[in-house]
């Protein structure tokens, strides 16, 4: 996992230019799956993915005004599914406990 936080952008960032720059820097094989831009462009989020054998590479860029956060991570989809399942089971158990205490 790689994380970077950049501060103090003094000028507005053009969304099309930012998207083009990220696509160029990431290179081929990366696919943009999310591009979200606020109405005035001050907040932008880009998420790209890239298959890496048994893993999935993710590149996330979040621009909020004058601050930009960038995260690049490689995840194991099987492990991610197991983690999500844990939360689903936890959520179901909590719902059952609430139902029992209401009775």
């Amino acid at each position: 996992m790689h994380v970077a936080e950049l501060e103090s952008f003094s000028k507005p960032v053009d969304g099309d230019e930012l998207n083009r720059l990220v696509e160029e820097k990431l290179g081929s094989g990366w696919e943009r799956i999310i591009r979200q831009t606020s109405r005035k462009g001050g907040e932008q989020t880009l998420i790209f993915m890239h298959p890496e054998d048994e893993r999935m590479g993710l590149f996330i860029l979040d621009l909020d005004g004058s601050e930009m956060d960038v995260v690049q991570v490689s995840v194991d989809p099987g492990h991610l599914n197991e983690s999500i399942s844990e939360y689903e089971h936890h959520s179901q158990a909590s719902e059952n406990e609430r139902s029992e205490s209401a009775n």
Side-chain angles (χ1 to χ4, degrees), residues 12-100:
V13 177
D14 177 79
D16 290 332
E17 183 180 345
L18 179 63
N19 185 64
R20 208 171 21 258
L21 176 67
V22 171
E23 285 179 341
E24 287 174 10
K25 295 298 180 185
L26 288 175
S28 65
W30 287 88
E31 178 182 352
R32 188 187 73 228
I33 56 173
I34 293 179
R35 179 178 179 190
Q36 180 181 349
T37 304
S38 67
R39 189 173 303 267
K40 295 185 180 187
E43 298 173 12
Q44 300 180 49
T45 301
L46 298 171
I47 301 178
F48 289 81
M49 67 178 207
H50 179 265
E52 301 173 343
D53 297 321
E54 306 261 332
R55 302 178 71 81
M56 182 62 63
L58 294 173
F59 180 88
I60 302 144
L61 182 145
D62 184 59
L63 175 65
D64 187 2
S66 64
E67 295 181 4
M68 180 185 298
D69 297 316
V70 179
V71 177
Q72 185 171 358
V73 63
S74 179
V75 297
D76 176 350
H79 181 73
L80 185 60
N81 282 337
E82 289 172 12
S83 297
I84 290 171
S85 292
E86 277 184 40
Y87 288 106
E88 287 175 351
H89 288 85
H90 178 72
S91 175
Q92 289 172 352
S94 295
E95 287 177 23
N96 291 340
E97 289 173 5
R98 282 187 290 232
S99 294
E100 289 175 7

